[in-house]
Amino acid sequence: MLHATGKYWKKSVFLVFILGLLILFALTVPPINLGLILIMNILIGSFFFFLLKIFFNKKWVLSFTLPIFLILILLSLKLFDPLNLILIVFFSIAVAILIR
């Protein structure tokens, strides 16, 4: 039982580290460059990936995290419209089918 709590403790410390890095990056660097926006989206996507990885197995986590990452990219590029949302849904369903 001690081993399981130690494992979750390490994962929660890692998540807090990623969240702190994300907050530090957001407060210190203004998002004026496309590369910086992409780095921020990758940090947010990795946070959700590791957060969901605690509760689900890797196949489900990839299926859940991919749409979140794609929606973040579309929102940051101001390309979020109904057609792109439908494309994200279909792409996510196709990836989930291929992973299984």
Side-chain angles (χ1 to χ4, degrees):
M1 191 65 152
L2 182 65
H3 180 65
T5 57
K7 185 171 79 169
Y8 287 118
W9 175 253
K10 288 178 185 177
K11 288 182 181 182
S12 63
V13 167
F14 183 67
L15 282 175
V16 168
F17 174 72
I18 289 179
L19 189 62
L21 186 64
L22 184 67
I23 291 170
L24 180 71
F25 190 74
L27 292 177
T28 58
V29 179
I32 54 173
N33 191 357
L34 188 61
L36 297 176
I37 293 171
L38 183 64
I39 290 171
M40 185 67 128
N41 289 338
I42 289 171
L43 283 174
I44 294 171
S46 65
F47 174 74
F48 281 113
F49 176 77
F50 289 117
L51 180 68
L52 292 174
K53 194 175 174 184
I54 292 174
F55 303 110
F56 301 110
N57 61 3
K58 196 171 186 178
K59 291 180 182 181
W60 286 101
V61 171
L62 285 174
S63 299
F64 291 146
T65 310
L66 185 66
I68 293 171
F69 181 70
L70 291 175
I71 287 172
L72 280 173
I73 288 191
L74 287 177
L75 284 171
S76 66
L77 296 175
K78 296 179 178 71
L79 295 173
F80 190 73
D81 57 353
L83 179 65
N84 285 336
L85 185 63
I86 291 170
L87 290 174
I88 286 175
V89 169
F90 287 140
F91 181 69
S92 301
I93 291 171
V95 168
I97 290 172
L98 285 175
I99 287 177
R100 291 185 191 172

